[in-house]
Amino acid sequence: MAEFAYVDQLPLGPNDTPMRRLDVAGYRVRGSGDDAVLEVDQSAIQTLADAAFRDLAHFLRPAHLAQLRRIIDDPESSANDRYVALDLLQNANVASGGVLPMCQDTGTAIISAKRGHRIQTDGTDARSLSHGVYQAYQDLNLRYSQMSPVDMWTEANTQNNLPAQIEIGLGQGLEYEFLFMAKGGGSANKSFLYQETKSILDEKRMLEFLKAKIESIGTAACPPYHLAVVIGGTSAEFALKTAKLASAHYLDTLPEQGSDAGHGYRDQDFEQQVFELTTQLGFGAQFGGKYFCHDVRVVRLPRHGGSLPIAIAVSCSADRQVLGRITPEGVFLEELERDPARFIPSTGLAEITDASASVAIDLTVPMTEIRAQLSACSVSTRLSLTGTLIVARDIVHARIRERVARGEGIPDYLLEHPVYYAGPAKTPEGLPSGSFGPTTAGRMDGYVAEFQALDASLVMLAKGNRSAAVTASCHANGGFYLGSVGGPAARLAQDCIRSVEVIDYAELGMEAVFRVEVENFPAFLVVDDKGNDFFKKDDRTFVGLSPTRLRS
Ligand code: SF4
């Protein structure tokens, strides 16, 4: 019989992440030696959370930005990989100005903390953390995305982005540690759990399994991703939670090898194999290429002999996580990059953006003419849109369906203009638009055939891949789906959106119907009127990758 030993399933090594000290009071050491305790006031906890979510809205980790730059420098990147990477770097630069958040989906606030056993507070820590989140979302040009269930079928926006998801566990000594995340809906939706069996605990079978599952993630959560795979787990929820932490690189200092003690570990060899696999999928950084992922983390956990949970999660292009810490030395927040411009190449930008490769589409003309312009292009064509878009998303689609069912018909604006699935962040004072990137198109798939049969939604603009039903409907009705680069919402607001006006359902806030005037708004033709879908493997045109690489 093995002797008793406590097993920490996720034993982390020392963390040397550069931190900055906040100018915050409200903490003091009482006593000395083993009796010392660190008293922390709620004001310090609230200020830390407030500062964390301010930073998360505007700044990224330097390592993430360096990975975007790596895509630009890699000769194996496709032209579209480089185009997306540069767009995301330029977006980070706009966001770092502190006015436009990096993405219009400013996320669900998630806080995971470990309170050392010699930290003393009055016990209302979760309330103070929530208050810090509230303050940041109130003060900045962020978006309120949280929907409260009023009854089973009715929801109301909470108008402050609360509730935050807060978990406080027990840690060691005089340290209070925090991981703050602002998780976008599209990114959160790409967390998956599979209940498998020992039969796939084999390298070849596992890689085959993962290939299919990773491919099914698609591009809706704005790649390049930080992908996490967790194999094993003492429960389904622990596997999923571990995947989320791994995608935030929070578990990077796990042991590199397993043992018979029952702790988890990081398998860096297998990470490399899975990364190689992702480069072969062909999705690339959204529109074909190598960089579907920046990197991969694989964590192997202990499991019950009769269970094999496998969890997959991603961190998207809004890779928003920041560490916090309160110690006797002060209140600290991870140092994020204040100067993303240093990652943007000083030469060759015109070659990457290659404006001459874009086809200008005039959206000021009647829909039949807009569709004729698009019909002359093939899928994967880069487009530059100028004119009017109608913004409508989830709730409006449901309401318009009800309206049609009542016999009131489709509103003219959906017949006369292309529809852009999006929902803006708050509009900063003096600017025409808040951060305003595309949302996940797939959520609107269920409406497409019905609306297109009524001559609405014949040209759609959003991000991510669509279902076969959308391709079939576009084929049958002469419709098109245009993909916009997902992620660079601040840059789109600054450079491409000239005016924004609410024209219907104003009470829905960010989910209202907006009329938007755009200029040189970048997009790709993804689904055409001839039954072609860029993301359907056989039809993909990969720019900048050799056919050999793609076939292998
Ligand atoms: S980058 Fe894309 S997936 Fe991430 S929060 Fe923004 S819209 Fe959502």
Side-chain angles (χ1 to χ4, degrees):
M1 186 191 302
E3 284 183 22
F4 168 77
Y6 169 71
V7 178
D8 179 354
Q9 289 198 45
L10 297 172
L12 297 179
N15 188 327
D16 56 1
T17 305
M19 310 286 279
R20 69 187 175 98
R21 194 169 188 278
L22 303 185
D23 186 15
V24 174
Y27 59 92
R28 65 206 69 80
V29 176
R30 300 266 190 228
S32 60
D34 289 348
D35 294 329
V37 295
L38 178 63
E39 280 183 4
V40 181
D41 297 343
Q42 292 303 323
S43 59
I45 295 171
Q46 181 180 326
T47 305
L48 176 63
D50 183 355
F53 284 93
R54 285 170 196 269
D55 275 14
L56 285 176
H58 293 285
F59 306 113
L60 288 157
R61 287 176 162 162
H64 175 82
L65 295 163
Q67 286 174 310
L68 286 170
R69 174 59 189 263
R70 175 180 77 161
I71 294 174
I72 293 173
D73 293 341
D74 184 348
E76 289 192 342
S77 296
S78 70
N80 285 342
D81 279 338
R82 285 194 199 95
Y83 180 87
V84 171
L86 178 61
D87 210 6
L88 291 169
L89 278 175
Q90 288 171 330
N91 185 65
N93 195 34
V94 174
S96 71
V99 177
L100 291 160
M102 67 182 77
C103 184
Q104 80 285 344
D105 184 349
T106 50
T108 297
I110 297 176
I111 304 171
S112 179
K114 283 187 202 159
R115 192 168 77 182
H117 72 293
R118 289 196 278 139
I119 300 284
Q120 273 188 1
T121 72
D122 69 5
T124 60
D125 307 20
R127 182 185 169 84
S128 300
L129 290 166
S130 282
H131 202 159
V133 171
Y134 169 87
Q135 206 59 55
Y137 278 80
Q138 286 291 308
D139 292 351
L140 301 185
N141 298 310
L142 309 188
R143 196 177 84 180
Y144 306 141
S145 303
Q146 305 305 315
M147 304 299 291
S148 179
V150 177
D151 60 38
M152 184 57 82
W153 315 120
T154 317
E155 295 182 321
N157 191 302
T158 61
Q159 301 293 345
N160 56 18
N161 213 50
L162 295 177
Q165 180 181 314
I166 300 171
E167 292 169 15
I168 304 175
L170 194 58
Q172 285 293 308
L174 296 169
E175 288 213 346
Y176 202 161
E177 294 180 2
F178 301 84
L179 171 65
F180 300 97
M181 307 171 90
K183 191 83 179 162
S187 179
N189 294 345
K190 299 303 177 187
S191 302
F192 298 102
L193 175 76
Y194 305 97
Q195 298 281 21
E196 296 303 315
T197 65
K198 167 94 175 81
S199 67
I200 63 165
L201 264 186
D202 161 277
E203 187 174 299
K204 185 165 173 288
R205 287 197 184 88
M206 184 61 75
L207 282 168
E208 278 168 10
F209 170 85
L210 290 176
K211 180 171 185 289
K213 300 309 180 197
I214 293 168
E215 191 160 32
S216 75
I217 293 173
T219 58
C222 311
Y225 299 131
H226 300 279
L227 175 72
V229 176
V230 172
I231 300 171
T234 46
S235 67
E237 66 272 18
F238 190 67
L240 270 173
K241 183 178 175 184
T242 304
K244 178 182 276 181
L245 294 176
S247 74
H249 290 191
Y250 186 73
L251 304 179
D252 278 9
T253 58
L254 278 176
E256 291 175 17
Q257 284 181 335
S259 73
D260 58 5
H263 63 83
Y265 77 100
R266 220 185 120 188
D267 190 323
Q268 296 195 33
D269 289 340
F270 200 57
E271 286 175 1
Q272 192 53 38
Q273 289 188 61
V274 178
F275 177 75
E276 286 297 326
L277 181 160
T278 67
T279 66
Q280 302 297 318
L281 295 177
F283 286 120
Q286 305 193 18
F287 298 100
K290 174 180 175 185
Y291 281 100
F292 188 52
C293 293
H294 286 298
D295 50 36
V296 175
R297 296 291 182 266
V298 177
V299 177
R300 181 74 165 84
L301 290 179
R303 67 182 184 100
H304 180 288
S307 309
L308 180 60
I310 297 179
I312 297 180
V314 299
S315 181
C316 66
S317 285
D319 182 43
R320 292 173 297 211
Q321 30 259 335
V322 66
L323 300 173
R325 194 175 294 150
I326 303 176
T327 71
E329 286 72 44
V331 179
F332 298 90
L333 204 50
E334 179 179 349
E335 193 72 74
L336 300 181
E337 180 60 51
R338 306 271 149 173
D339 180 22
R342 72 187 175 92
F343 294 93
I344 298 175
S346 51
T347 57
L349 301 190
E351 203 182 6
I352 295 171
T353 49
D354 190 10
S356 66
S358 286
V359 175
I361 303 292
D362 182 2
L363 303 182
T364 64
V365 297
M367 275 299 279
T368 45
E369 291 178 36
I370 295 172
R371 288 160 60 204
Q373 296 173 66
L374 293 170
S375 195
C377 302
S378 55
V379 289
S380 87
T381 302
R382 213 181 273 175
L383 308 170
S384 176
L385 313 176
T386 298
T388 305
L389 295 170
I390 297 299
V391 174
R393 49 178 286 166
D394 307 58
I395 299 179
V396 166
H397 277 71
R399 294 217 179 159
I400 288 177
R401 173 181 273 166
E402 289 165 10
R403 191 175 148 154
V404 171
R406 288 195 302 269
E408 294 167 21
I410 292 260
D412 286 348
Y413 51 72
L414 272 192
L415 302 173
E416 293 166 0
H417 303 288
V419 61
Y420 177 32
Y421 304 146
K426 286 182 225 167
T427 304
E429 222 173 292
L431 294 185
S433 173
S435 292
F436 210 162
T439 194
T440 304
R443 293 200 311 275
M444 264 52 76
D445 282 6
Y447 300 97
V448 173
E450 193 179 330
F451 284 17
Q452 287 193 337
L454 298 170
D455 288 338
S457 302
L458 286 172
V459 178
M460 304 164 282
L461 171 67
K463 69 176 164 87
N465 36 325
R466 310 294 302 258
S467 64
V470 171
T471 308
S473 178
C474 286
H475 194 194
N477 296 293
F480 301 86
Y481 166 55
L482 318 181
S484 175
V485 177
R491 198 193 74 71
L492 288 174
Q494 178 184 275
D495 297 341
C496 305
I497 298 179
R498 296 294 166 244
S499 69
V500 178
E501 177 195 0
V502 178
I503 58 168
D504 209 356
Y505 298 110
E507 72 280 8
L508 296 180
M510 71 93 176
E511 292 226 28
V513 178
F514 300 84
R515 180 191 173 105
V516 177
E517 298 300 325
V518 300
E519 190 177 341
N520 299 328
F521 192 106
F524 290 77
L525 181 52
V526 176
V527 175
D528 68 10
D529 56 346
K530 301 165 194 75
N532 298 309
D533 174 3
F534 172 77
F535 287 112
K536 197 168 145 250
K537 219 163 187 169
D538 295 345
D539 298 332
R540 267 181 251 164
T541 304
F542 300 100
V543 184
L545 272 186
S546 72
T548 316
R549 178 175 185 84
L550 288 165
R551 273 200 298 273
S552 60

